[in-house]
Amino acid sequence: MINFLFVFGAVMTAPNSAERKACWDARDHLWKCLDDNDDNVASCQRFQSEFEAKCPAQWVKYFTKRRDFLKYKEKMQTEGFAPAEGPQGAS
């Protein structure tokens, strides 16, 4: 295994193929659960725990931000952008 990072005295190794697949599968199960339950995290706690257990912490952070971005992008594409009304200037 290739050592790719040295942090706080601990050597972290890159996940191997089986570990990456397990992480991606856990992510996909969590995202499906969230989609099926209108993003109700409480309904998907089992999948969230599995996701966090099978993926490196940095990957969990990345995938969580990625899902938020993809949801935002989808909303912008379907609903469009509506600028907020700012303060009205006195004329």
Side-chain angles (χ1 to χ4, degrees):
M1 208 165 278
I2 300 171
N3 293 332
F4 73 96
L5 186 60
F6 185 80
V7 178
F8 303 113
V11 176
M12 298 174 61
T13 55
N16 65 32
S17 178
E19 292 166 335
R20 288 191 306 269
K21 182 175 181 341
C23 173
W24 295 332
D25 288 345
R27 175 207 56 196
D28 293 345
H29 287 121
L30 172 61
W31 286 13
K32 181 175 183 346
C33 180
L34 290 170
D35 288 342
D36 292 347
N37 290 285
D38 295 320
D39 289 328
N40 183 345
V41 178
S43 298
C44 303
Q45 192 56 49
R46 182 185 72 151
F47 294 107
Q48 180 71 37
S49 296
E50 183 177 328
F51 173 56
E52 290 173 2
K54 292 188 176 182
C55 296
Q58 282 299 110
W59 289 26
V60 170
K61 184 177 176 180
Y62 169 79
F63 287 137
T64 301
K65 287 183 178 183
R66 178 77 178 151
R67 184 172 193 278
D68 291 344
F69 169 74
L70 292 172
K71 289 294 203 178
Y72 175 77
K73 181 179 172 184
E74 180 182 353
K75 182 178 179 181
M76 289 297 107
Q77 290 175 337
T78 58
E79 297 176 20
F81 174 73
E85 290 186 33
Q88 300 298 319
S91 307

